[in-house]
Amino acid sequence: MAKYLVFGGSGFLGSRLIARLAKQDSNQIVVADVNRNPSFDKYENVSFQEIDFINKNSFAGEIAGYDYVYHLISTITPADGTKDAFRELEENVRPTLALLEEVKLHPGVRLIFLSSGGTVYGNKGSVPLSEELLPAPICNYGISKELIERYLFLYHHMYGLDYRILRLSNPYGTKARKNQKQGLIPIVMDCIMRGEPVTVFGNGRNVRDYIHVEDAISGVLKAAENGGSGGIYNIGFGKGHSILEIIDLIVKELGCEYPRLIFVPDRKCDVEYNVLDNSRMKAEFGWEPQICLEEGIRMMVNGIRNGGENG
Ligand SMILES: NC(=O)c1ccc[n+]([C@@H]2O[C@H](COP(=O)([O-])OP(=O)(O)OC[C@H]3O[C@@H](n4cnc5c(N)ncnc54)[C@H](O)[C@@H]3O)[C@@H](O)[C@H]2O)c1
């Protein structure tokens, strides 16, 4: 039996994580989020605690008794630019420090932080990126992820805080979020299914590492709950695909006409190439992603056609 506290558990990744954790009856899970996710009502071992993370100055008394604390809250996305730099520090970094202040008092607790493999590395050429590289983010979101990572190292160094940093690439596999601003695959799929043109940043040849959300969550659980050497783990498929390739694959799977593309200039925050070297996950935990991109997109399309949101 293990006890879990999952900050941001109601969201895209959190809901998949909760579904996996809840399968084990003996687990006790508390979802701490500003939004309640009604899909959790079916689980007897999941409860909800309403919190507004950005206004938290202290987590005193809220961590005791847990084995794992997952931190999945982020209030901005990579595309939000620098206009929200102060907001980022205030809403994400400051409350995370308050959380670390409490977690450090509970030596049996492991903190798992969802970082961003897609942004912390910045522009590093066109070979898969390993955890050994020095971060050099070129967006505000990546800087705040790196900053939180550095505080985790510091709290580990000073107080022995037990942590895992999971640098996730680009997870896909759901159409669940409305007004989605993050995630090329669901955004493109939505546009094509509605018969709308697709906006392409740059020349469409920027390469990203897409991983199905179920593979991503398997990796998260492996790295979070096992021994291993600790620290940072990249969780990605380890293969790159350009925006134009993604559009081709979606069109092929939907069997529809090719959409009109509207090319707009690259955003300053867009790197040209981002593929994660996942060999550390493979070597330490025997983890390998199982769902290739073609199959993952097919699962999404079938899920939507069968009336569900997920696939
Ligand atoms: N989705 C991706 O492409 C991706 C890639 C790499 C890393 N990540 C990271 O993984 C984590 C989870 O991502 P996601 O895609 O599930 O995000 P999401 O937006 O779907 O979920 C985030 C959750 O946080 C909650 N939340 C937001 N503000 C809050 C607040 N003030 N107080 C309490 N709860 C609040 C939301 O209600 C939501 O349930 C984030 O830290 C994100 O940066 C995501």
Side-chain angles (χ1 to χ4, degrees):
M1 177 198 152
K3 285 192 79 178
Y4 297 84
L5 177 59
V6 184
F7 289 101
S10 296
F12 168 51
L13 296 168
S15 55
R16 300 299 182 101
L17 175 70
I18 301 299
R20 297 280 268 276
L21 294 174
K23 269 191 192 153
Q24 180 118 18
D25 290 341
S26 58
N27 285 341
Q28 289 295 322
I29 305 132
V30 175
V31 174
D33 203 297
V34 75
N35 293 311
R36 203 182 129 271
N37 186 328
S39 74
F40 300 156
D41 292 349
K42 57 181 177 284
Y43 306 123
E44 286 192 356
N45 53 352
V46 178
S47 56
F48 176 69
Q49 186 186 319
E50 186 175 340
I51 63 141
D52 188 2
F53 192 71
I54 62 178
N55 290 317
K56 292 286 273 186
N57 293 313
S58 162
F59 290 83
E62 294 176 39
I63 304 299
Y66 289 102
D67 301 293
Y68 300 100
V69 173
Y70 280 87
H71 179 355
L72 275 69
I73 292 179
S74 181
T75 62
I76 69 163
T77 63
D80 285 344
T82 57
K83 70 177 181 351
D84 289 323
F86 284 114
R87 188 161 77 82
E88 176 67 70
L89 288 173
E90 187 53 34
E91 293 186 356
N92 294 302
V93 181
R94 192 196 50 77
T96 300
L97 277 173
L99 178 62
L100 299 192
E101 278 296 303
E102 189 59 23
V103 175
K104 79 176 193 198
L105 304 175
H106 302 276
V109 177
R110 176 174 286 176
L111 181 65
I112 299 112
F113 176 60
L114 265 283
S115 186
S116 162
T119 61
V120 290
Y121 294 106
N123 260 321
K124 286 267 160 60
S126 54
V127 283
L129 305 156
S130 99
E131 294 91 344
E132 310 289 313
L133 291 167
L134 269 185
I138 57 166
C139 68
N140 190 46
Y141 169 86
I143 288 175
S144 105
K145 291 288 189 194
E146 187 198 351
L147 194 51
I148 292 173
E149 289 187 0
R150 286 185 181 271
Y151 280 119
L152 283 163
F153 305 147
L154 181 67
Y155 276 70
H156 172 71
H157 174 72
M158 297 194 69
Y159 312 109
L161 187 140
D162 184 7
Y163 71 95
R164 292 281 146 107
I165 290 168
L166 308 180
R167 289 183 179 160
L168 203 55
S169 63
N170 295 267
Y172 69 94
T174 184
K175 197 184 148 296
R177 282 183 292 176
K178 295 201 166 60
N179 306 321
Q180 187 146 10
K181 283 188 285 180
Q182 194 177 6
L184 176 80
I185 294 176
I187 292 173
V188 168
M189 208 174 262
D190 253 7
C191 287
I192 296 181
M193 290 177 92
R194 284 203 302 260
E196 291 172 4
V198 175
T199 302
V200 176
F201 291 99
N203 60 10
R205 301 196 192 284
N206 284 351
V207 168
R208 298 284 178 274
D209 179 333
Y210 298 92
I211 182 165
H212 193 273
V213 65
E214 293 301 338
D215 276 336
I217 297 300
S218 303
V220 165
L221 287 168
K222 281 256 186 221
E225 302 206 359
N226 287 291
S229 52
I232 303 174
Y233 292 93
N234 279 342
I235 300 184
F237 197 89
K239 251 177 114 173
H241 294 274
S242 71
I243 300 173
L244 296 177
E245 280 168 11
I246 295 293
I247 296 171
D248 285 350
L249 279 171
I250 293 175
V251 167
K252 187 170 151 224
E253 215 38 65
L254 286 170
C256 62
E257 268 184 38
Y258 200 83
R260 185 162 71 83
L261 304 184
I262 301 175
F263 287 89
V264 297
D266 253 337
R267 296 164 298 187
K268 292 271 188 197
C269 61
D270 287 327
V271 295
E272 281 173 27
Y273 175 91
N274 180 274
V275 177
L276 299 185
D277 174 349
N278 58 16
S279 50
R280 193 162 180 226
M281 282 293 295
K282 286 181 180 164
E284 292 195 17
F285 307 120
W287 171 82
E288 290 239 27
Q290 304 292 318
I291 305 168
C292 70
L293 191 57
E294 290 79 356
E295 188 187 343
I297 289 178
R298 191 167 313 132
M299 285 162 68
M300 277 181 82
V301 169
N302 289 340
I304 294 164
R305 284 199 172 130
N306 292 334
E309 294 283 16
N310 295 331

